[in-house]
Amino acid sequence: MSNKGENMKLSELVNEVNYEQELSSLCNNLCEKLTHAMHTRWEHSKEETTHTYKVGQKYIKIIVCEKGQHASVWGFINKSNPNFKEGDVLKAAGWRTPALNKARGNLFDGYDIDPQTMRIYGPDYLR
C-alpha cells in the first residue's frame, strides 16, 4: 500500500513528463513552421534549409540547418530558467547562449511565423 507522499511524487512526475512532451511538440511545430515559412519566402531554400532543435538543461536551442549541417541558431526556448516562463522565446546571444534581457513571446501562448516577417530569421527585436 502506498502513502500519499509517494502518490504526490508520482503525480508530479507525470505532470513533468506531460509538460516535456508538450514543449517538445511545440518546438517541433515551431521548426516545421520556420522551415515552411523559409521555403515559402525563398524558393531556392527548399533543398537546403531546415530547422531542428536540441534540448539542453535550461533551454531548447532552435537550430537552422543548411544542406544538413548545423549553420546557425534561430533562438532559444526557455525550459527551466526561473527568470522566465516555461516556453518563452529568447533571442540568441550566441551559439550557446540566449539573450536574457526579455522574452520575445511564448510557445504556449502561440507564436506565429509569417513568411513575410523577419521572424523567419530569429525572434523579434525589442522595440
Side-chain angles (χ1 to χ4, degrees):
M1 184 174 219
S2 63
N3 65 36
K4 190 173 181 176
E6 288 176 5
N7 289 338
M8 291 294 287
K9 288 179 184 177
L10 180 59
S11 173
E12 289 171 6
L13 182 61
V14 167
N15 287 340
E16 185 176 321
V17 167
N18 288 340
Y19 155 75
E20 294 273 341
Q21 287 176 339
E22 185 175 2
L23 188 56
S24 179
S25 176
L26 288 169
C27 287
N28 191 56
N29 191 27
L30 175 65
C31 289
E32 288 175 1
K33 286 181 186 178
L34 286 166
T35 299
H36 176 73
M38 183 68 79
H39 294 172
T40 299
R41 181 143 181 204
W42 305 111
E43 186 78 23
H44 69 277
S45 71
K46 285 188 177 181
E47 300 297 321
E48 299 180 3
T49 306
T50 59
H51 295 77
T52 189
Y53 65 94
K54 183 177 179 183
V55 179
Q57 210 168 13
K58 285 187 178 181
Y59 308 103
I60 299 169
K61 184 189 312 185
I62 307 299
I63 302 167
V64 181
C65 299
E66 298 288 339
K67 298 179 182 176
Q69 301 294 317
H70 292 179
S72 62
V73 177
W74 177 88
F76 290 85
I77 308 303
N78 183 50
K79 193 174 145 196
S80 64
N81 181 333
N83 297 320
F84 295 96
K85 292 188 329 188
E86 295 166 342
D88 274 353
V89 178
L90 304 170
K91 191 160 185 56
W95 181 258
R96 294 177 174 232
T97 312
L100 299 176
N101 54 346
K102 187 174 180 185
R104 276 35 182 215
N106 189 288
L107 291 186
F108 289 106
D109 297 337
Y111 194 79
D112 292 329
I113 303 297
D114 181 345
Q116 302 308 315
T117 66
M118 297 306 288
R119 276 193 180 173
I120 61 174
Y121 303 112
D124 299 333
Y125 282 97
L126 296 176
R127 297 179 187 182

